[in-house]
Amino acid sequence: MDINRKVMKVLVYLFGSLGDTLVAIPALRAVRRHFQNAELVLLQNVQPGNIVKASEVIPENLIDRYLSYENKPDKMSKFSGFYRLWRRLRGERFEAVVYLVISERPARSVFRDKFFFRSCGIGKLIGFRPFSKDELYPIDAEQRPALTENEAVRKLHRLELDGIEAKPEEDLQQPLLKFSQSEEEKARLWLAGQKSDSRLIAIAPGCKTQANIWPLENFIEIGSRLIATENCELIVVGGKDEHEMGEKMISAWGKGINAAGEFSVREAGALLAACDFYIGLDTGTTHLSAAVGTPCFAIYGERNNPGHWYPLGSSHSIVFHPVACAGCRFHVCPLPDHPCMTGISADSVWENLMTFIQHLRRPESEK
């Protein structure tokens, strides 16, 4: 498809969690480069709970302004909300819409969204190709979930099918996020107030998806070993929901810094950028750490194909435990012992973590 570069008003549709937003930044770079002179307006779904809005994360140079809508749970409120949104979008007279939702969105939902935006009077529809099951969930020769491309790369490929050129070396370049002087200053002053001059290691024990949780006592054990062997200060990161977990960890360690819930998302990113490395789970904070260029040691289950939701970049290490139920894609594990996460012992994590730390200490020329 030959997309007219003279288009002057483009809607970008993106919704989801913090991680979903961060992995869309490479695609947003490609869209911004293609529509250099257009006004880019991002439509975001404001969800209940502590869900981060895209406008709180995305770099200012990529999006010119934001439109928001709330997806109400009851049918009447949902219908009236979509009607108001439909009228608003028709009134805006967008010339094109770029679809950056997650690749796993069902085909019927993609076609419904396509019909909705077409009914809003938008002529050019970009990125609405649904992925097949075989593309989303490939299987290897042993009938296990096979390694697949990162979600960020999938978004770029989908744009290319509709004529938006991807430049991987440029679009995927780290860091994805950079910070204002005030954001960096707040993180620096806060750290100075903690009166620690040791190198910082960030730990994020929390996770909103039950199937991705690793036992808190294991995080405490790993932290205790780091304190005993490394000249470091452990800093617990995450949202307000993780603050109490941080207090329990620090109480068990006898030292440490609890930053969970203390910062906005971007300020937390500036804090993570000051850390030597990060330890966490399959969650948004891991993607935030990767987005600022901090090496990640991540503990993952096997609910998804490997690679798909790994932190973006080459300086990370992923540890997992193979199980027969790999690729289940459940958000809540139906098995009482939750084998893919409880099967990851503190000892195995420690062994892999030591290898990760040794790799980080090697000169760049030897990596």
Side-chain angles (χ1 to χ4, degrees), residues 186-205 223 227 232-239 242-263 271-272 274-275:
K186 181 171 181 178
R188 187 188 67 78
L189 290 175
W190 190 86
L191 284 172
Q194 306 305 312
K195 299 180 180 179
S196 173
D197 55 3
S198 301
R199 65 193 186 100
L200 296 173
I201 298 174
I203 298 185
I227 291 170
C232 66
E233 187 78 72
L234 301 183
I235 180 165
V236 180
V237 294
E242 284 76 59
H243 187 82
E244 185 177 347
M245 298 172 71
E247 291 298 296
K248 290 180 180 178
M249 295 166 74
I250 290 169
S251 176
W253 295 332
K255 61 177 297 188
I257 302 171
N258 191 357
E262 296 290 335
F263 298 95
L271 182 68
L272 286 166
C275 296

Side-chain angles (χ1 to χ4, degrees), residues 337-349:
D337 56 345
H338 196 185
C340 74
M341 293 305 290
T342 58
I344 305 173
S345 68
D347 286 339
S348 66
V349 166

Side-chain angles (χ1 to χ4, degrees), residues 199 222-232 350 354 357 361:
R199 65 193 186 100
I222 294 301
S224 297
R225 296 187 190 187
L226 283 170
I227 291 170
T229 59
E230 302 287 324
N231 179 25
C232 66
W350 181 252
M354 289 299 97
I357 292 174
R361 288 174 175 167

Side-chain angles (χ1 to χ4, degrees), residues 31-275:
V31 172
R32 176 80 279 176
R33 183 175 58 247
H34 188 89
F35 295 110
Q36 293 181 21
N37 300 315
E39 180 188 23
L40 295 188
V41 181
L42 191 140
L43 177 63
Q44 60 183 357
N45 180 4
V46 180
Q47 302 180 49
N50 296 322
I51 303 298
V52 176
K53 293 189 292 186
S55 54
E56 299 176 64
V57 181
I58 293 173
E60 292 181 357
N61 64 312
L62 296 180
I63 295 295
D64 297 304
R65 63 185 173 95
Y66 292 83
L67 297 177
S68 301
Y69 73 96
E70 188 173 355
N71 196 0
K72 299 282 188 178
D74 61 286
K75 289 185 178 180
M76 283 302 297
S77 297
K78 182 180 291 188
F79 177 80
S80 61
F82 274 107
Y83 176 69
R84 289 193 298 271
L85 176 63
W86 177 81
R87 291 190 61 183
R88 176 71 184 274
L89 295 182
R90 282 192 66 88
E92 289 272 358
R93 298 184 180 277
F94 290 103
E95 298 165 77
V97 57
V98 179
Y99 196 65
L100 293 184
V101 303
I102 62 171
S103 59
E104 292 177 287
R105 190 158 174 81
R108 63 182 181 276
S109 298
V110 175
F111 291 131
R112 183 191 63 202
D113 294 342
K114 186 175 182 179
F115 174 80
F116 173 77
F117 288 115
R118 183 75 76 187
S119 75
C120 293
I122 304 176
K124 299 180 185 297
L125 277 65
I126 302 163
F128 282 81
R129 174 187 175 275
F131 286 83
S132 69
K133 185 176 180 180
D134 289 341
E135 290 174 311
L136 289 171
Y137 313 118
I139 301 297
D140 64 19
E142 298 178 356
Q143 298 303 301
R144 286 182 48 80
L147 181 68
T148 188
E149 62 189 5
N150 191 280
E151 176 69 13
V153 177
R154 283 185 181 176
K155 292 185 190 302
L156 290 172
H157 286 170
R158 189 154 58 178
L159 291 178
E160 285 188 304
L161 292 173
D162 283 336
I164 294 183
E165 181 186 9
K167 297 181 179 180
E169 289 188 4
E170 181 178 331
D171 297 331
L172 298 170
Q173 185 179 20
Q174 300 281 32
L176 298 180
L177 296 181
K178 295 182 180 180
F179 305 101
S180 67
Q181 185 175 350
S182 63
E183 289 166 339
E184 291 179 339
E185 185 71 1
K186 181 171 181 178
R188 187 188 67 78
L189 290 175
W190 190 86
L191 284 172
Q194 306 305 312
K195 299 180 180 179
S196 173
D197 55 3
S198 301
R199 65 193 186 100
L200 296 173
I201 298 174
I203 298 185
C207 185
K208 288 184 171 63
T209 301
Q210 182 271 346
N212 295 340
I213 292 174
W214 198 50
L216 184 63
E217 57 267 26
N218 287 347
F219 276 108
I220 292 173
E221 175 63 23
I222 294 301
S224 297
R225 296 187 190 187
L226 283 170
I227 291 170
T229 59
E230 302 287 324
N231 179 25
C232 66
E233 187 78 72
L234 301 183
I235 180 165
V236 180
V237 294
K240 293 180 180 179
D241 292 342
E242 284 76 59
H243 187 82
E244 185 177 347
M245 298 172 71
E247 291 298 296
K248 290 180 180 178
M249 295 166 74
I250 290 169
S251 176
W253 295 332
K255 61 177 297 188
I257 302 171
N258 191 357
E262 296 290 335
F263 298 95
S264 70
V265 174
R266 289 187 58 83
E267 290 165 351
L271 182 68
L272 286 166
C275 296

